[in-house]
Amino acid sequence: MTATHSRLLAFGSAFPERVLTNHDLAQRIDTSDAWIRERTGIEQRRQLADGENNSDIAAAAAQAAMARAGIDASDIDLVLACTNTPDRWLPSLGAAVQARLGLRAGVPAYDIVTACAGWLAGLQTADALVRTGHHRHVLVIGSEALTRFVDWSDRNTCVLFGDGAGATIVAPAQADDGGVLIDVRLHSDGRYGDIMTLPAGGTAMPTTPEAATRRLNCIHMDGREVYAHAVRAMVEVSQEVLTRNGLTLGDVDWFVPHQANLRIIQAVARRLGMPAERVATNVHKYGNTSTATIPTCLQEYEADGRIRRGQLVLMTAFGGGLTWASGLMRW
Ligand code: ACO
C-alpha cells in the first residue's frame, strides 16, 4: 500500500555523560575559552568515555524516539544509521544498532555516509521507501563519535567536534497529519573533497604506523574554505527547497541548521533574512556532532514546546564531500 506522504513520529536524543569544556581544552592545547566562544559559539562538548561506543548512544537515541512515539521495537522494519564514525568499518553501525535494540531478525539495517548532511539524506531515503510501500516504520538515526577521530594536538579542529546521537521514526501519513515531511533536497560536489577529509584508513592510505604518527587517521580541514562553501551552499539549498514548494522564508516558523559553529549559522540566517529568534541552536552545549545536530536540536526544541504542532520547520545541512541538503517539515 502506498501513502501520499511520510511523517516523523517523534524525536529522541542521547549524549555521553562526560562534559569537555573549553577550559578543559585550554589546559591541554594553546587555546582559550574566549577564542573558541568568539569564533565558534561553542562552550562545551560531550565525549564518549573509554569503552563507550557510537552504537551505545545511537541505540539510546533510538529507544528514546520509539518510547516517545509509542512504537515497539517489533514495529521497526528498517534502520538507517547516518554516521561518519561507526564503531567499526564492518559491520555497519546500523547492524550493530539493530542487534542492540533486539529488532526482529531480518529487518534491514545499513549506514548512510554523507558527512554532516547524513540525517537529511536518511530522511529522504526513508520518505521514498515509506511512500512506495516498502517500509512502514523506518528508524532514522544520526549518531557520531567524532572525538575518536580528532587530533587532540590540532587546535584548528579539536575544539569544534563532539559526540552525540539523535533519532526519529518515519511512517506513512496523509498530507494533513502532524510531522509531515514536505520535501528534502540533497546535493554533492566531489571536486572539493580535500577541504575536509580523514585521509587514512581507506584504500587510498592504510592506517600504517607512519600515517598514525602523522595523525592522518584524524579529521583534517581547511577551516576558511569550509566556512565559505558552507554558507553559500546552505543559503542556496534553503532557498531552493522553499521555492520548489511555493513557500517563502516568511512562512517558516523555525530554521534548524546544521550546528557546525555559530558564526556559520548566523551568516546563513543573515543572508536568508531569517530573524535570530526563529533559528534553533544547541552548538554551545554540544559542539559539532555532524549527523546528530539537526535531530538533537529538533528533539530539544519540540520537547520544551518551542516547536509546536502545525509549525513549518526548515532544516539545512552542509558537510564534507562536499554534500549539502535542505528539508521541510510541517510539525
Ligand atoms: N585557539 C586559538 N587560536 C587558534 C585556534 C584555537 N582553537 N585555532 C586556530 N587558531 C589560530 C590560527 O592558528 C591562526 O593563527 P595565526 O594567525 O597565527 O596563523 C588564527 O587563530 C586565525 O585562524 P583562522 O583560521 O584565520 O581563524 P578563523 O577566524 O577562520 O576561524 C574556524 C577558524 C573557527 C575553524 C573557522 O574557519 C570556521 O569556523 N570554519 C568552518 C569550519 C567548521 O565549522 N568545520 C566543521 C566541519 S564542516 C561542517 O560541519 C560544516
Side-chain angles (χ1 to χ4, degrees), residues 254 279-281 296-307:
W254 282 104
V279 181
T281 56
T296 58
C297 246
L298 289 169
Q299 189 279 330
E300 185 177 327
Y301 276 65
E302 194 274 328
D304 68 16
R306 279 178 285 182
I307 294 181

Side-chain angles (χ1 to χ4, degrees), residues 39-312:
R39 305 291 177 116
T40 73
I42 298 167
E43 296 168 18
Q44 60 178 48
R45 67 287 294 141
R46 298 295 183 92
Q47 184 181 24
L48 289 170
D50 294 346
E52 270 185 316
N53 277 302
N54 189 339
S55 57
D56 295 316
I57 52 176
Q63 269 163 337
M66 291 192 295
R68 194 81 200 255
I71 291 289
D72 197 73
S74 61
D75 296 325
I76 300 294
D77 57 8
L78 173 65
V79 180
L80 300 178
C82 311
T83 190
N84 305 283
T85 51
D87 294 6
R88 295 177 280 178
W89 288 118
L90 194 71
S92 69
L93 179 66
V97 170
Q98 191 226 24
R100 284 289 292 274
L101 294 176
L103 304 188
R104 283 183 286 117
V107 166
Y110 56 94
D111 291 3
I112 290 184
V113 186
T114 49
C116 302
W119 194 72
L120 291 179
L123 284 192
Q124 190 185 51
T125 305
D127 176 58
L129 293 173
V130 163
R131 282 193 294 108
T132 49
H134 287 283
H135 296 283
R136 290 191 62 79
H137 291 105
V138 183
L139 191 51
V140 185
I141 305 166
S143 189
E144 300 292 353
L146 285 155
T147 65
R148 294 274 164 84
F149 296 91
V150 295
D151 175 356
W152 290 103
S153 65
D154 176 11
R155 66 179 184 174
N156 290 294
T157 53
C158 76
V159 302
L160 301 173
F161 298 104
D163 303 330
T168 192
I169 295 124
V170 178
Q174 300 309 317
D176 53 356
D177 281 339
V180 159
L181 192 60
I182 298 168
D183 200 6
V184 179
R185 299 298 290 164
L186 181 68
H187 300 283
S188 296
D189 187 346
R191 291 175 301 167
Y192 298 98
D194 286 342
I195 69 171
M196 178 147 175
T197 178
L198 201 156
T203 59
M205 188 187 295
T207 314
T208 58
E210 192 212 336
T213 303
R214 292 168 58 205
R215 310 306 285 157
L216 296 171
N217 54 338
C218 297
I219 294 167
H220 289 249
M221 178 188 77
D222 180 337
R224 287 190 172 184
E225 279 285 310
V226 170
Y227 188 102
H229 284 286
V231 173
R232 177 192 47 76
M234 285 200 280
V235 168
E236 282 176 10
V237 74
S238 298
Q239 289 166 335
E240 177 193 352
V241 79
L242 286 169
T243 304
R244 254 171 66 90
N245 292 280
L247 295 162
T248 68
L249 220 61
D251 298 312
V252 175
D253 295 293
W254 282 104
F255 181 44
V256 184
H258 170 49
Q259 309 282 307
N261 77 50
L262 198 59
R263 285 203 314 183
I264 293 180
I265 293 170
Q266 288 168 340
V268 172
R270 207 166 38 242
R271 288 193 199 182
L272 284 172
M274 175 64 73
E277 61 273 16
R278 287 196 267 143
V279 181
T281 56
N282 68 6
V283 69
H284 54 293
K285 290 189 284 188
Y286 304 116
N288 180 350
T289 57
S290 188
T291 56
T293 66
I294 293 179
T296 58
C297 246
L298 289 169
Q299 189 279 330
E300 185 177 327
Y301 276 65
E302 194 274 328
D304 68 16
R306 279 178 285 182
I307 294 181
R308 297 192 307 274
R309 283 289 175 201
Q311 290 189 321
L312 186 68

